[in-house]
Amino acid sequence: MIDLAPDTRIYVAGHRGLVGRALMRKLEREGFTDLSTRTSQDLDLRDQEQVGSFFERERPEVVILAAARVGGILANDTFPAQFIYDNLMIAANVIHASYEHGVRKLLNLGSSCIYPKFASQPLRENALLTGPLEPTNRAYAVAKIAAIELCDSYRRQYGCDFISAMPTNLYGPHDNFNLETSHVLAALIRKFYEARVDGRPEVVVWGSGTPRREFLHVDDLADACLFLLANFSEPGPINVGSGKDISIQELAVLIKEVVGYQGRIVFDASKPDGTPRKLMDISRLSTAGWQASTDLREGLVSTLDWYRRAWKPPDTALSPPATARQAADRSDRATH
Ligand code: GDP
């Protein structure tokens, strides 16, 4: 366990993403004063030399690895090479530099998609590497599994205090609302809101509506991260979730209500369903003493409010991408 004094130098990798921003809000609120950050323009985490000299200069004591190339089901399925390459490079460079420069604690963030497609539900941490992965995001998942293995190997061989937390599906302010690359919750907030404003008669929801997903507000994740940094030091992944799941159809109905949309919901069966169910077993974390506090409906209301007030399409979205590579580059590179 480490002492997290307010002047601990903490490097938040990926501070402009959904998770990184929530972490920054939380750390600032808790009085941490020595926070270190770089944008992806200033520091390319895929470049080993750049990462090495950044750690040499900054000497962080604690590292939170929240930088990743992330995206929803379609982006993962379309750009697997970029998802595996970028995430492998980011993890290898940051974890190795943390070891070389004596980082006291590193928190590596992953995702529930590391677990096998047909693992029994709720997903327990020991289901890791017990079966085939969901094909639509296998490339991303393999990179995230490699990151856990890196942390565990550096712990075993060098005694590093590196831990790995696996959040369930996240949402909240600064989510990615780009319909081609976003996850379902942000996509549906945008689709229902725009349909209401434009008076459209129906909203198209992908797939059959039967898959089940668990959602966690990103502020709850940030709270869990601080808890884990201070109180947890074990190898292997630890799940972070709300403990409750909901079908995509139920989610669509809930968002429709929260938005106040009156039209119809139509399912587009030509789009993939992905994993049939994703619910985390959170008993390890609950036993350690942490639980989520944001109710899904309340979280949807506040996220809709943020979307209406603050969301702006990125400039790059104004013109169509010329190549698949450019399209993938527009998927968020620093969020989870
Ligand atoms: P996943 O959790 O990795 O499968 O990723 P997503 O959040 O992208 O998708 C979850 C489920 O929601 C899948 O079954 C999707 O087909 C479904 N879904 C329904 N409508 C949408 C949508 O507009 N966007 C996305 N990304 N998924 C949708």
Side-chain angles (χ1 to χ4, degrees), residues 101-118:
H101 297 280
V103 165
R104 282 163 53 213
K105 183 118 195 176
L106 176 141
L107 170 62
N108 162 46
L109 286 159
S111 143
S112 57
C113 70
I114 58 159
Y115 295 115
K117 174 167 183 164
F118 297 112

Side-chain angles (χ1 to χ4, degrees), residues 115-167:
Y115 295 115
K117 174 167 183 164
F118 297 112
S120 65
Q121 305 273 336
L123 295 161
R124 291 172 59 98
E125 287 89 351
N126 63 10
L128 186 64
L129 296 173
T130 57
L133 298 163
E134 153 63 31
T136 51
N137 55 22
R138 192 175 59 212
Y140 174 81
V142 166
K144 289 288 164 188
I145 293 170
I148 299 171
E149 193 61 30
L150 278 162
C151 287
D152 292 356
S153 302
Y154 280 68
R155 169 183 290 274
R156 208 166 72 225
Q157 188 175 341
Y158 304 127
C160 298
D161 189 356
F162 294 173
I163 58 172
S164 296
M166 299 301 120

Side-chain angles (χ1 to χ4, degrees), residues 72-73 169 182-184 187 191 205-206 211 213 248 272-273 278:
I73 194 164
N169 295 28
S182 67
H183 284 278
V184 59
K191 284 184 184 176
V205 175
W206 297 352
R213 295 288 183 274
I248 299 301
D273 268 347
K278 251 198 269 180

Side-chain angles (χ1 to χ4, degrees), residues 8-9 27 35 40 105 113 116 122 133 139 177 194 207 215 222 226 231 248 264 295 308 333:
T8 307
R9 174 163 287 197
L27 289 165
L35 303 177
S40 51
K105 183 118 195 176
C113 70
L133 298 163
F177 288 90
E194 286 183 347
F215 297 97
L226 257 66
N231 299 296
I248 299 301
R264 276 188 321 257
D295 163 75
R308 288 168 52 178
R333 255 210 288 168

Side-chain angles (χ1 to χ4, degrees), residues 36-238:
S36 171
T37 59
R38 288 292 182 283
T39 63
S40 51
Q41 283 78 35
D42 293 335
L43 172 61
D44 185 345
L45 293 173
R46 297 167 302 182
D47 183 317
Q48 189 180 20
E49 229 176 275
Q50 284 188 33
V51 174
S53 28
F54 167 75
F55 273 74
E56 176 79 52
R57 269 196 320 275
E58 288 288 304
R59 300 265 164 198
E61 299 169 69
V62 169
V63 171
I64 308 180
L65 179 44
R69 176 183 290 284
V70 300
I73 194 164
L74 199 61
N76 268 276
D77 206 20
T78 319
F79 311 114
Q82 283 162 277
F83 276 86
I84 190 165
Y85 177 79
D86 289 358
N87 290 313
L88 278 175
M89 296 302 282
I90 291 170
N93 289 339
V94 172
I95 292 167
H96 185 69
S98 296
Y99 152 65
E100 283 204 309
H101 297 280
V103 165
R104 282 163 53 213
K105 183 118 195 176
L106 176 141
L107 170 62
N108 162 46
L109 286 159
S111 143
S112 57
C113 70
I114 58 159
Y115 295 115
K117 174 167 183 164
F118 297 112
S120 65
Q121 305 273 336
L123 295 161
R124 291 172 59 98
E125 287 89 351
N126 63 10
L128 186 64
L129 296 173
T130 57
L133 298 163
E134 153 63 31
T136 51
N137 55 22
R138 192 175 59 212
Y140 174 81
V142 166
K144 289 288 164 188
I145 293 170
I148 299 171
E149 193 61 30
L150 278 162
C151 287
D152 292 356
S153 302
Y154 280 68
R155 169 183 290 274
R156 208 166 72 225
Q157 188 175 341
Y158 304 127
C160 298
D161 189 356
F162 294 173
I163 58 172
S164 296
M166 299 301 120
T168 191
N169 295 28
L170 299 167
Y171 71 97
H174 300 281
D175 206 341
N176 169 15
F177 288 90
N178 172 343
L179 295 181
E180 287 161 40
T181 54
S182 67
H183 284 278
V184 59
L185 191 148
L188 294 187
I189 286 185
R190 179 171 176 182
K191 284 184 184 176
F192 281 104
Y193 180 71
E194 286 183 347
R196 196 195 84 188
V197 170
D198 300 345
R200 278 186 238 134
E202 60 183 42
V203 164
V204 176
V205 175
W206 297 352
S208 63
T210 58
R212 300 184 69 83
R213 295 288 183 274
E214 173 188 16
F215 297 97
L216 181 73
H217 194 281
V218 73
D219 287 344
D220 283 345
L221 173 66
D223 190 54
C225 287
L226 257 66
F227 175 85
L228 288 168
L229 281 173
N231 299 296
F232 185 80
S233 180
E234 283 174 37
I238 179 158

